[in-house]
Amino acid sequence: MSILKSLKLGVGCLTAGIGQILLSCLSLGIHLFTIYTAFSLSGIFGGILTIFFPPLSEIAWFIILWIKFGFLNIYTYTVLGYIVIVLLSLGGMYLASSSLED
């Protein structure tokens, strides 16, 4: 294996690994914050629905909070940061896998 392939593999694995750790922590934080927001803004029914339907509720609350408070709020920035980390992690996985195929 050449030095360039080894470097691609190492950078890809490091990026994907760190990304997965960050995604695990951030997804829990986003879900807890979403539950708190749902209970605060819509009461018990919205909070319970949010607990049991994590991906759908996070998308719904992202849209609701964007419409209600505009784009400049901490929730939309956090979700967009999460999406960026997902893309970086996928890029790292692609980089690592492409270095193994050559």
Side-chain angles (χ1 to χ4, degrees):
M1 185 179 284
S2 71
I3 294 174
L4 184 58
K5 285 184 185 179
S6 297
L7 184 62
K8 278 176 63 176
L9 180 63
V11 169
C13 288
L14 182 66
T15 304
I18 291 173
Q20 291 300 311
I21 293 169
L22 288 173
L23 289 174
S24 298
C25 298
L26 194 56
S27 62
L28 176 64
I30 288 173
H31 189 57
L32 292 175
F33 186 63
T34 305
I35 293 169
Y36 171 77
T37 302
F39 274 108
S40 298
L41 296 179
S42 69
I44 189 100
F45 184 70
I48 290 174
L49 281 176
T50 300
I51 289 171
F52 290 111
F53 298 104
L56 295 175
S57 63
E58 278 136 19
I59 293 169
W61 281 107
F62 176 82
I63 294 167
I64 291 167
L65 292 175
W66 189 343
I67 291 169
K68 189 169 186 165
F69 299 112
F71 187 72
L72 299 174
N73 66 68
I74 191 69
Y75 190 80
T76 55
Y77 284 155
T78 305
V79 172
L80 290 175
Y82 184 84
I83 292 169
V84 168
I85 294 171
V86 166
L87 294 175
L88 287 173
S89 184
L90 288 173
M93 289 182 213
Y94 175 77
L95 187 64
S97 68
S98 69
S99 69
L100 293 175
E101 291 174 359
D102 296 334

